[in-house]
Structures are given as structure tokens and as C-alpha cells.
Amino acid sequence: MTQPKRIAITGAAGQICYSMLFRIAAGEIYGPDQPVSLHLLEITPALGLLEAVKMELDDCAFPLLNDVVCTDDPKVALNKVDAVLFVGAKPRGPGMERSDLITDNGKIFSSLGKVLNEVGNPDCKVCVVGNPANTNAYILKANAPNINPRNITALTRLDHNRALSQLAAKAGARIGDIQKMVIWGNHSTTQVPDISYASINGKAASDMVDQTWAREEFIPTVAKRGAEVIKARGSSSAASAANGVIDHMSSWIQGTPDGDWVSMAVPSDGSYGIDEGLIYSFPVQIKNGDYTIISDLDVSDFIKEKMMASQQELRDERDTVAALLNT
Ligand code: NAX
């Protein structure tokens, strides 16, 4: 029998996970032939609720679901797993900016980073979802030097998908007709959704939509979509975030199609003048479970200025959490 892949998921009794765990158990990350084991981590007061989630997972009788471990002990959850989805954190409420959460949530990531460093598989693939996601991933990386730093990533795929959806609606196109969307930078309102390289059925997207729309409506609509969802539903995006995580992980494991790419926040290699090591969203192509940053795009002055502003925000966040970066 194929050995199951073990996936640890933090914040497993929360909203995003309620939309995500069932899809993972159905094979949507590792594919239809790969059994999975779920290591679900929660804080102690949420263990009762987590048990209810496990009951529902059991009741689905997923053929690929090997076993489910529910625990409040990070050493148990993170022990030698193949992948970790760090979802658990305090979410943003109405009127809150992501940056309001930075210190509280940063502490969670420094302590979990230390545990991952101690018990983790050095090659495990990590996706940080809990906000501020890029900086939490940065904290995690600083506290887990034994883990391959390239494998510590953060989620901007939800932003990528939001951008695809907005462009498709504007151009009257189907999502599947669009290639080469880009989200640059931080998962925040400084992110830079960029259609400069996008094509729709092989034609340049920038020739098919009005440039004023692309600059003045598209960018802020995508960047502020999270806040719009909070305003409309009273809590942050859950099903679409879960879908973004599944897209992020399945692309990472199964690869990107020829001629296309996806957006992922990964440690910068210095491309485009972004500080090495900052967790910054770039377009990446993925083969054999490994990603490559697309590093040779011709970036306009307009976009470059916004990319630098997003970098500055990440530098400021890094400075705010300096005390959490010492291992
Ligand atoms: P919920 O409050 O529904 O769930 C969070 C869960 O995490 C809770 O069950 C809580 O008990 C648990 N938790 C808290 N501290 C923990 C710890 N130290 N260890 C383990 N579990 C812990 O939030 P949810 O809506 O699921 O959102 C989770 C996170 O995702 C939030 O930080 C949210 O801001 C972030 N998001 C990130 C997005 C992205 O694109 N990167 C988009 C959606 C979302 O805003």
C-alpha cells in the first residue's frame, strides 16, 4: 500500500479549515491515488469542537483518509509531517487592519517555528495562511533554521484567484482562458495585482481592457477584497481562502501547466531588487515539487513603484517583530 502523506493543519476547528479539511481528505492536494493522514492542531479550549470536525470527517468515509490525529500538542501535530498548513491565528474583525494583529499572531509563529525546528521533517512544505501571513512565515523561517527555507511559503493564491475573477468579469472571458496573472508583494492592501503579462486566449489582456480600469479599479478592488468580504459577512473569507490553500498546495505538489504560472509568497532570492529572504509574492513555475521564481519580467515604472512600497511594508513589519526573530 502507498504510504500516506501526513499533513499538519493548525487552527483546525476554525472557519477556513471547515471548508478545507474535507477537500484535502477527498484527495484535492495530493491527488486521487495518494492516501493522507491529518494531524489537526487546536488550542485546548477548542478541542471539543475539533472532535466534532473529526466525527464529520469519519462520517464522510473518505477512501483516501488514512487517519486523523486531534491534539493540542504542537510536538505531536508537527512531528515528521510532509506538509504543514499554518491556518491558526486570530482573524481580522470589522474595521481591523491586518497589521493590528501582527504582534499577537507573531508570537504564535515564533513558538510553533521552534517546535517545527525540533520535530519537523527538514523538507516539509509549509504554507502560512494566518495573518499577517508573509511576516508570520518570516518569523517561522527565522525560528526554524533546520527546515529548508525555500519550503516556507505564504498564501497569496486567494489574491491571485480574486484577480483572475475580476479580469474575467471585465473582459467577458472565462477564467480558464486567462494565463499569467501576477500578485506581487505582501498579502495586504499594498499587494500589487498586475495584468501586464496576462493573456486571454493568447492575446494580451492589457489590449483588451481599459488601462485606467487596470490601474484605478482593478488593483484596489483585488487588494481590498478581503475587507469587502468582512464587511458583507461579518467575518473574514473562509471558503475562498480554503480554496486558495488547496490551489497553492496542489500546484506546488503537482506542478503548473506549461506556459502558465501561479503567485506564491516565497523567500525572495533578490529578484526585482526585493531583499533576499523577505517572504514576497512572485510569479512562480513549479516542476517536480519545486518552484522557480520568474525573474526576468520587464516591470513598468508604475508597477515597480508599488512593488517597492509593498516591500517597504514588509520591512516595517519585520522591524516590528524583531524581538521574535532571535532563535
Ligand atoms: P477562525 O477564528 O475561524 O479559526 C482560527 C482557529 O485557530 C481557531 O479555531 C483558534 O482556536 C485556532 N488557533 C488560535 N491560536 C492557535 C494556536 N496557537 N495553535 C493552533 N490553533 C490556534 O479563523 P479563520 O477564519 O479560519 O482564519 C484563520 C486565519 O487565516 C486568520 O489569521 C485570518 O486572518 C487568515 N486569513 C488569511 C488569508 C490569506 O489569504 N492569507 C485569507 C483569509 C483569512 O483572512
Side-chain angles (χ1 to χ4, degrees):
M1 188 196 145
T2 316
Q3 275 292 98
K5 293 288 184 188
R6 310 198 77 84
I7 311 171
I9 301 158
T10 75
Q15 289 200 83
I16 292 176
C17 288
Y18 195 67
S19 290
M20 187 173 78
L21 299 178
F22 301 85
R23 294 179 60 185
I24 298 173
E28 287 197 42
I29 287 183
Y30 280 99
D33 301 318
Q34 174 60 59
V36 292
S37 293
L38 300 181
H39 287 207
L40 307 181
L41 180 70
E42 259 299 347
I43 51 173
T44 313
L47 282 178
L49 193 52
L50 186 60
E51 201 48 45
V53 173
K54 180 181 182 307
M55 286 164 70
E56 287 205 68
L57 281 164
D58 290 345
D59 293 348
C60 293
F62 289 115
L64 290 173
L65 185 55
N66 190 69
D67 66 318
V68 180
V69 175
C70 293
T71 180
D72 59 358
D73 183 351
K75 283 191 182 167
V76 172
L78 303 180
N79 190 26
K80 302 280 177 290
V81 290
D82 298 287
V84 192
L85 311 178
F86 284 99
V87 183
K90 202 167 122 186
R92 240 189 327 166
M96 277 174 90
E97 270 304 319
R98 246 180 59 280
S99 49
D100 296 335
L101 295 174
I102 195 163
T103 315
D104 277 4
N105 283 345
K107 287 181 195 146
I108 297 176
F109 287 83
S110 64
S111 83
L112 288 177
K114 288 185 173 70
V115 177
L116 186 65
N117 198 51
E118 191 188 327
V119 304
N121 159 10
D123 290 320
C124 66
K125 287 179 158 60
V126 171
C127 175
V128 174
V129 181
N131 278 320
N134 300 50
T135 294
N136 287 339
Y138 190 86
I139 295 169
L140 195 83
K141 179 162 68 78
N143 284 279
N146 294 337
I147 307 298
N148 179 358
R150 278 179 59 76
N151 282 5
I152 297 184
T153 71
L155 184 73
T156 50
R157 188 63 172 274
L158 171 56
D159 308 294
H160 183 100
N161 287 344
R162 286 168 171 163
L164 288 174
S165 168
Q166 293 297 323
L167 178 59
K170 181 68 178 176
R174 290 176 305 184
I175 302 286
D177 296 336
I178 304 176
Q179 290 186 309
K180 297 189 173 174
M181 179 61 71
V182 181
I183 303 291
W184 303 103
N186 198 1
H187 168 68
S188 77
T189 51
T190 69
Q191 67 176 257
V192 195
D194 183 5
I195 64 160
S196 309
Y197 322 95
S199 63
I200 303 178
N201 282 321
K203 295 190 194 126
S206 47
D207 293 341
M208 296 167 76
V209 293
D210 175 50
Q211 284 311 296
T212 310
W213 173 83
R215 287 173 177 223
E216 292 175 16
E217 281 188 53
F218 169 73
I219 293 176
T221 300
V222 174
K224 294 181 179 161
R225 184 73 164 179
E228 283 300 304
V229 171
I230 291 175
K231 205 157 78 184
R233 92 181 204 109
S235 54
S236 57
S237 310
S240 55
N243 183 67
V245 180
I246 286 172
D247 284 351
H248 178 111
M249 293 304 295
S250 61
S251 292
W252 195 356
I253 286 153
Q254 296 173 33
T256 46
D258 286 344
D260 202 0
W261 59 51
V262 294
S263 302
M264 250 168 101
V266 300
S268 171
D269 60 356
S271 297
Y272 305 100
I274 304 302
D275 297 351
E276 229 170 283
L278 271 190
I279 307 283
Y280 194 93
S281 183
F282 293 102
V284 300
Q285 277 172 337
I286 305 168
K287 273 206 165 58
N288 304 322
D290 197 18
Y291 64 82
T292 307
I293 295 173
I294 309 291
S295 59
D296 57 355
L297 298 174
D298 199 9
V299 176
S300 70
D301 290 345
F302 172 78
I303 293 288
K304 186 81 187 200
E305 194 181 318
K306 288 184 173 300
M307 287 171 69
M308 291 300 135
S310 200
Q311 160 165 252
Q312 191 54 49
E313 181 182 48
L314 284 167
R315 287 173 174 166
D316 293 345
E317 289 184 9
R318 179 187 59 194
D319 293 347
T320 308
V321 299
L324 301 172
L325 301 177
N326 298 324
T327 52

